Amino acid sequence: MRTAGVMLAAVLALAPVPAAAGFDAPAARLDKAAILLGQRAGVSIGISDPSLAAIRTRPVGGAADVAGALRQMLSGTGAGAVQVGPRSWRIVRLPSSPYRKPAPPPVSAPPVDERSDGEILVIASKRDTPIGRYPATVSTLAANMLAPGLEGQGAEALTAYLPSLNSTHLGPGRNKLFVRGLADSSFNGPTQATVGEYLGEARLNYNGPDPDLRLYDLRSVEVLEGPQGTLHGVGTLGGVIRLQPAPPNLDRIEASMTGGVSFTEHGAPSGDLSGIIDLPLSDNAGLRTVAYRVREGGYIDDTLRGLPDVNRVDTAGGRAWLRITPGDGWTVDLGGAVQDIKGRDSQYADRHAPPLTKESPIAEGYRSRYGMGQLVVRKEWDGLVLTSATSFARQRIRESFDASQPGAPTRFDQNGHVDFFSNENRLVRNHADGSGWVIGTSLVENRYSLERSFAPIAADVRLGGISNRIREATAFGEGTFALSDRLLLSAGGRLTILELSGSAEGVTTLAFARAAADKASRRQVALLPSVSLSWRPADGLLAYARYQQSFRPGGIVVRDAFVQRYRPDDVKAGEVGVRWDTQSLSLSSALSYTSWRNIQADQIDAGGLPTTINIGNGRIITVDAKASLRPAPGWSIDLAGVFADSRLTNPGVVAQRLILPASFGPVDIAVIGFRKDLPNVARLNGSAALRYATVIGDFDLSLSGWARYVGRSRLGVGPVLGMKQGEYLDTGLSLRATRGRYALSATFTNLADQRGNRFALGSPLMLGREEQVTPLRPRTLRIGIEAAF
């Protein structure tokens, strides 16, 4: 993935510049410089040899044409440019040179050179805002910054580098993601996700857990922190995560393969295999495909059934992207993604049993299937950019949980179905002074249904399900005004009309027969404003203040044998921050205050069954800081930390008693109680990464190490859900050697072989009866190989 991902630094014109104006570009990494020049000149620039991507270019000044700009840029680097089409260039390594090329970092090294305005664009801003002018907290992660093999871990790999991003750990394909401490609960249910996830222009989810697409063949990942309601709509309470895939190369056929074998202490071996093919179909069309298969070997033993390594997970998936450029500024992208995750058993162990063991009379397997298709049409003319993005996603999740009593093995099954349609049309105009605007419309329809059952069970107990449907029509806009050369004011708003309907499904008992007649249907209108002020007192220095809102609609749920409604919740957040970028140092820090009203939370009812309630109002105060240091050529150090203080400001108390069939006995469940911390919000998270890259002989070498500290948090609210989790340190180390088209790598994870407790939940129906922990994967070594063709 890393090899193929940098073969193409191709971009199409955003606003072609007349030749008479000349071309200028700062010194930078070659892949970044190629992107910037391509944007300014309106051409496509590809890099044939991935080991050239990290070469430092020369500054370009006053070049009359693209050929002259490329000559200046590549002077003395050992690389040259070849024109392969009217608007296409390819950078190649020169076949002969009177002197040896400098020792650049290999392609796997992070972008360690300066980040001047125009080089890094915040694509998720929907206006391609330069990071030097973006008035909010954003984390960017180039795909080649991931250690070899971590692409197959999905979102878990991102949490290792981004302390503001947190996750539950029920298993790949059924985890919930949280940004900036806005965590509602540890359970999966009908509530909408608090984070908006995107693959390019397509939104991946509405409600339901993170699809957990594997990170193969990505160009970058962006995380916008804090509410994003104005431009991204309902459900983006905590922020937005955008996965930006590598685009098709229209100039040449390319292919690559990566594979690896992993060995885990106290566990079964693992393996991963992926392949990428880039196929030009004509001068103006190309197809890029990626396919992968990952097996994560188990490491939890079930001593009751006498089975070792029961928690194996198998993942298979792929993506395809067809790009057509018919001319006159038009671009048409048609793509899709599919993924199938099968977990043989749950990921938890018993807290008081021997390490990495549990006792369960049944297998608690699960399966998550996801499919998505998208069509994106883009038109650029006279400084305007029109984008129309339509997507459809389908997610199917089947889960089984242990609900056994002594002598009565029982399985609780839960099946979730999500169908999500989205269409957005927007028009953008940007100006050189940072001013500009975006206006747009959006249509969304989401259907969610949940079916639940016990099997087998001695008594005749049947459970009903629910079905929720949401239709959303939206108009939004945002404008930025230059009050002076260094002062920008932005303001915007989003007007949303929602229609919500819901009903009880699968009704058989008298109680549910009555509940079936209770249907929820209503209309809701919401206005989500935003305003920000940014000031650049000096080059590379930005100070800003920002205010924004977001919300989630309500719905219906089955709770305590009746259909009940839960109310909408909303957040209002203010943020102040500063960002400073120089040649060798980048610093940023932000302070935010978030007010969260009528918090929706997926919890458990009096019978221990998943349900949804409003748990009260809350507030979150966060302070985050980041530092990137490049002390010497080839070296980089990245540090980040987040402090979060969360509180329920008016929690209620719901303690109920339910008499289940005789095989169950009485159960006391306190849903909400005395702890006021929000669930899954650690007071302190931090990460550190050290990277070094050099050339020895014919080999490009890169070494990286990383560590992440996850502070203590609690599973939920109340005495039963108040179990402690977190408070562990996870570490890793990788070495990669590249020679020509081939690379070998070794990656170690969990160097200290810590057990830890990532998540204090396995089966929600066993809460109050046994304590559960989700340990880290034990120390693991992966040996990988990569080849590019």
Side-chain angles (χ1 to χ4, degrees):
M1 184 276 293
R2 291 167 300 282
T3 305
V6 299
M7 284 184 174
L8 179 63
V11 292
L12 298 177
L14 291 179
V17 181
F23 297 108
D24 298 284
R29 276 172 54 105
L30 178 56
D31 51 0
K32 297 292 184 182
I35 291 174
L36 181 59
L37 179 60
Q39 288 174 328
R40 294 180 175 177
V43 298
S44 174
I45 303 175
I47 303 175
S48 63
D49 186 342
S51 64
L52 294 174
I55 287 178
R56 183 179 176 84
T57 65
R58 304 292 186 183
V60 177
D65 53 24
V66 177
L70 287 170
R71 280 195 300 270
Q72 291 186 35
M73 177 185 294
L74 302 174
S75 175
T77 64
V82 178
Q83 187 168 6
V84 295
R87 290 163 51 89
S88 301
W89 294 78
R90 184 164 65 245
I91 297 175
V92 299
R93 187 181 297 280
L94 296 178
S96 60
S97 177
Y99 38 85
R100 182 173 173 81
K101 68 182 180 74
V107 63
S108 60
V112 296
D113 291 322
E114 73 274 7
R115 301 173 181 178
S116 58
D117 287 356
E119 286 187 314
I120 295 181
L121 302 177
V122 183
I123 307 299
S125 68
K126 298 194 176 183
R127 295 175 55 188
D128 292 353
T129 307
I131 194 170
R133 286 175 170 165
Y134 184 67
T137 301
V138 57
S139 297
T140 60
L141 184 68
N144 54 22
M145 294 175 68
L146 292 174
L150 295 190
E151 317 95 322
Q153 294 185 9
E156 184 173 345
L158 299 180
T159 62
Y161 292 89
L162 304 174
S164 62
L165 178 63
N166 296 280
S167 170
T168 61
H169 292 278
L170 279 171
R174 56 176 186 164
N175 294 324
K176 300 176 74 169
L177 298 181
F178 308 118
V179 174
R180 190 176 269 180
L182 272 86
D184 51 3
S185 70
S186 300
F187 308 94
N188 291 323
T191 57
Q192 188 178 357
T194 62
V195 176
E197 297 182 64
Y198 288 79
L199 178 66
E201 292 287 345
R203 186 158 179 174
L204 295 175
N205 66 336
Y206 193 86
N207 59 349
D210 167 33
D212 208 3
L213 296 183
R214 295 311 188 240
L215 306 179
Y216 292 103
D217 199 34
L218 295 183
R219 170 178 283 179
S220 63
V221 179
E222 295 178 354
V223 179
L224 307 186
E225 301 180 20
Q228 306 292 327
T230 297
L231 294 183
H232 293 275
V234 300
T236 56
L237 277 65
V240 164
I241 301 173
R242 179 175 174 127
L243 310 178
Q244 186 62 34
N249 187 344
L250 307 187
D251 297 326
R252 57 175 290 175
I253 298 175
E254 295 176 339
S256 66
M257 292 186 63
T258 65
V261 178
S262 301
F263 305 93
T264 299
E265 291 190 30
H266 326 292
S270 306
D272 59 89
L273 181 66
S274 68
I276 301 169
I277 298 178
D278 215 332
L279 183 64
L281 303 179
S282 66
D283 290 340
N284 60 356
L287 175 67
R288 188 179 185 96
T289 60
V290 56
Y292 52 87
R293 187 180 182 100
V294 180
R295 167 163 290 186
E296 300 172 73
Y299 52 89
I300 303 293
D301 298 337
D302 192 318
T303 56
L304 182 62
R305 291 181 289 151
L307 298 176
D309 308 323
V310 297
N311 61 319
R312 187 183 76 199
V313 177
D314 291 292
T315 303
R319 299 196 308 270
W321 184 349
L322 173 66
R323 167 164 287 183
I324 303 173
T325 56
D328 196 26
W330 288 95
T331 302
V332 179
D333 291 325
L334 178 65
V338 294
Q339 185 170 270
D340 189 358
I341 301 176
K342 298 178 182 178
R344 192 170 64 167
D345 210 325
S346 59
Q347 304 295 306
Y348 73 92
D350 294 338
R351 182 186 294 271
H352 301 297
L356 304 178
T357 65
K358 71 170 187 173
E359 293 184 356
S360 176
I362 64 171
E364 300 175 90
Y366 70 93
R367 185 176 185 182
S368 173
R369 293 175 293 163
Y370 183 84
M372 181 272 293
Q374 65 172 318
L375 172 65
V376 181
V377 180
R378 184 180 177 99
K379 165 68 173 177
E380 304 174 19
W381 78 103
D382 296 334
L384 295 170
V385 180
L386 174 67
T387 302
S388 176
T390 304
S391 64
F392 176 80
R394 171 170 290 182
Q395 190 174 17
R396 300 291 184 263
I397 303 174
R398 176 187 56 79
E399 304 174 275
S400 296
F401 298 100
D402 183 13
S404 301
Q405 295 292 312
T410 305
R411 187 182 72 243
F412 172 70
D413 293 328
Q414 182 169 276
N415 295 282
H417 304 260
V418 180
D419 293 295
F420 175 55
F421 169 83
S422 174
N423 171 261
E424 179 178 289
N425 303 280
R426 67 178 185 269
L427 184 65
V428 176
R429 186 180 187 97
N430 291 321
H431 300 285
D433 61 357
S435 63
W437 48 264
V438 55
I439 56 173
T441 62
S442 173
L443 296 174
V444 168
E445 180 171 347
N446 185 79
R447 297 184 180 184
Y448 174 83
S449 63
L450 182 67
E451 301 171 356
R452 312 181 303 171
S453 64
F454 278 120
I457 190 168
D460 183 17
V461 176
R462 302 288 299 277
L463 301 175
I466 58 96
S467 176
N468 283 327
R469 179 176 178 177
I470 295 177
R471 291 177 174 176
E472 172 190 329
T474 293
F476 63 90
E478 183 181 72
T480 300
F481 310 94
L483 303 182
S484 70
D485 291 343
R486 296 184 177 272
L487 190 63
L488 296 177
L489 173 67
S490 296
R494 188 181 192 96
L495 179 64
T496 298
I497 301 175
L498 296 105
E499 291 184 354
L500 305 95
S501 61
S503 62
E505 306 290 342
V507 177
T508 57
T509 65
L510 177 60
F512 275 98
R514 295 173 180 173
D518 184 8
K519 296 187 177 182
S521 180
R522 61 188 183 278
R523 173 175 292 189
Q524 181 177 352
V525 179
L527 176 63
L528 302 175
S530 66
V531 62
S532 67
L533 184 67
S534 61
W535 176 44
R536 294 187 299 140
D539 292 343
L541 180 61
L542 176 74
Y544 63 86
R546 176 177 178 264
Y547 171 83
Q548 193 158 153
Q549 299 181 10
S550 190
F551 84 105
R552 295 186 295 181
I556 72 162
V557 70
V558 177
R559 183 167 70 247
D560 302 333
F562 290 95
V563 173
Q564 301 184 30
R565 294 183 180 182
Y566 57 91
R567 299 188 303 277
D569 63 351
D570 61 79
V571 298
K572 301 175 181 178
E575 173 185 351
V576 292
V578 62
R579 186 182 301 120
W580 183 42
D581 291 323
T582 69
Q583 292 277 344
S584 59
L585 181 65
S586 297
L587 299 173
S588 65
S589 182
L591 168 67
S592 67
Y593 180 92
T594 302
S595 173
W596 195 352
R597 189 169 61 107
N598 295 328
I599 301 173
Q600 298 175 10
D602 295 318
Q603 299 282 339
I604 55 174
D605 66 11
L609 300 176
T611 188
T612 303
I613 58 177
N614 296 95
I615 63 174
N617 300 339
R619 63 106 177 110
I620 306 102
I621 300 173
T622 59
V623 179
D624 65 79
K626 304 181 182 72
S628 295
L629 177 65
R630 296 167 287 279
W635 287 93
S636 70
I637 302 172
D638 295 301
L639 304 172
V642 177
F643 171 84
D645 180 56
S646 66
R647 287 289 184 272
L648 278 174
T649 55
N650 63 338
V653 176
V654 181
Q656 302 192 33
R657 179 180 181 87
L658 176 68
I659 306 299
L660 293 176
S663 60
F664 280 80
V667 177
D668 289 302
I669 295 293
V671 179
I672 308 177
F674 311 102
R675 295 293 306 185
K676 293 187 177 182
D677 298 337
L678 290 179
N680 297 292
V681 181
R683 186 168 287 264
L684 181 63
N685 289 330
S687 68
L690 172 68
R691 302 176 180 88
Y692 175 66
T694 188
V695 173
I696 299 179
D698 294 330
F699 290 91
D700 291 335
L701 301 179
S702 64
L703 176 69
S704 66
W706 66 94
R708 170 169 177 151
Y709 172 75
V710 177
R712 186 177 66 184
S713 64
R714 295 185 179 272
L715 176 67
V717 191
V720 173
L721 302 181
M723 289 83 73
K724 297 178 182 179
Q725 58 190 11
E727 205 167 16
Y728 61 86
L729 179 68
D730 193 12
T731 54
L733 182 69
S734 73
L735 174 66
R736 184 171 183 266
T738 304
R739 183 180 182 183
R741 296 179 298 174
Y742 302 95
L744 290 173
S745 63
T747 302
F748 293 88
T749 55
N750 194 2
L751 296 175
D753 200 25
Q754 283 204 355
R755 296 291 180 265
N757 179 17
R758 298 182 294 172
F759 193 46
L761 175 68
S763 171
L765 287 92
M766 303 304 290
L767 289 171
R769 302 174 190 169
E770 63 181 37
E771 294 188 47
Q772 306 158 346
V773 298
T774 304
L776 282 74
R777 174 174 289 275
R779 184 187 295 118
T780 297
L781 167 64
R782 177 188 181 272
I783 304 298
I785 185 171
E786 306 167 35
F789 311 98

